[in-house]
């Protein structure tokens, strides 16, 4: 990334490292967002996995199914919600299926398509994981924001998401 004047942005942080991200407020915000997202994802992943054996991707896939009618979605709908490539989704679904968390079956409306559904065991595991995951969110995320900051943060995230998805569709 470059500074807003078009030239390379350099400078040193407190530890003497060169900062090549840029000095503009947007460059600094990007760097903070990127680093914070990675840290939070890493901490949430470790906590969830150590307490439930699930990865964040497992949890997110199970969340989408738990929220769906009859706890089931067509694979295409699941892929959209997970923002996964079809091959990555297939791997994730097979992994959860082997563990008895979900089942797959031919879509009754279109036999060419497949549907994934949470099993009874999957619902039980998800309910336990959901409670623990909620505690982790309250420990790592909630203390950093008051309610007004949270509303603003969500608005900003929605704007970034809309920009990124519009770019994908262009």
């Amino acid at each position: 990334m470059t500074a807003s004047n078009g030239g390379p942005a350099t400078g040193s942080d407190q530890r003497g490292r060169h900062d090549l991200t840029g000095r503009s407020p947007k460059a600094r915000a990007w760097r903070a967002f990127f680093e914070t997202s990675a840290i939070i994802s890493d901490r949430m992943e470790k906590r969830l996995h150590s307490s439930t054996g699930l990865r964040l991707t497992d949890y997110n896939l199970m969340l989408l199914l738990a929220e769906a009618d009859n706890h089931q979605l067509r694979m295409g709908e699941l892929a959209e919600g997970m923002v996964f490539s079809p091959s990555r989704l297939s791997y994730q679904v097979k992994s959860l299926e082997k563990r008895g968390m979900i089942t797959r079956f031919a879509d009754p409306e279109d036999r060419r398509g497949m549907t994934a559904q949470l099993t009874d065991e999957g619902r039980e595991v998800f309910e336990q994981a959901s409670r623990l995951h909620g505690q982790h969110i309250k420990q790592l995320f909630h203390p950093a924001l008051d309610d007004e900051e949270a509303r603003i943060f969500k608005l900003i995230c929605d704007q970034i998401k809309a920009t990124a998805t519009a770019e994908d569709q262009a």
Side-chain angles (χ1 to χ4, degrees):
M1 207 177 279
T2 61
S4 57
N5 66 7
T10 60
S12 296
D13 66 9
Q14 294 92 355
R15 291 174 266 175
R17 296 180 305 192
H18 291 287
D19 177 357
L20 302 177
T21 302
R23 293 188 187 136
S24 74
K26 289 181 181 181
R28 302 308 313 144
W30 163 251
R31 179 83 175 251
F33 172 78
F34 180 77
E35 291 175 354
T36 302
S37 296
I39 290 167
I40 289 291
S41 293
D42 176 68
R43 299 314 185 276
M44 293 296 288
E45 174 89 20
K46 286 176 181 173
R47 288 177 181 211
L48 185 67
H49 190 258
S50 71
S51 60
T52 67
L54 296 175
R55 301 281 182 200
L56 277 176
T57 52
D58 298 332
Y59 180 85
N60 287 339
L61 190 148
M62 294 172 77
L63 173 66
L64 291 173
L65 292 174
E67 291 175 338
D69 290 338
N70 298 321
H71 304 290
Q72 67 184 37
L73 287 171
R74 292 183 56 145
M75 294 296 286
E77 294 170 315
L78 203 48
E80 282 179 27
M82 292 294 295
V83 194
F84 272 175
S85 67
S87 63
R88 175 72 177 125
L89 178 65
S90 291
Y91 170 80
Q92 196 70 36
V93 166
K94 285 178 188 175
S95 172
L96 287 170
E97 191 174 31
K98 284 179 187 175
R99 294 160 53 195
M101 303 296 152
I102 66 172
T103 186
R104 284 186 297 172
F105 54 91
D107 189 301
E109 295 175 18
D110 179 1
R111 294 259 174 223
R112 296 171 296 167
M114 296 293 286
T115 296
Q117 182 176 37
L118 273 178
T119 62
D120 289 341
E121 180 182 356
R123 282 194 294 275
E124 288 177 26
V125 168
F126 177 77
E127 287 172 15
Q128 176 193 5
S130 183
R131 284 190 297 276
L132 291 167
H133 189 60
Q135 290 173 0
H136 301 157
I137 292 168
K138 287 176 183 170
Q139 293 165 351
L140 293 173
F141 186 78
H142 287 204
L145 304 170
D146 64 27
D147 287 348
E148 183 58 23
E149 290 168 329
R151 280 189 278 283
I152 293 167
F153 186 67
K154 183 185 181 313
L155 175 66
I156 292 166
C157 288
D158 289 346
Q159 291 170 338
I160 293 168
K161 183 178 179 181
T163 299
T165 56
E167 187 73 23
D168 288 346
Q169 296 169 0

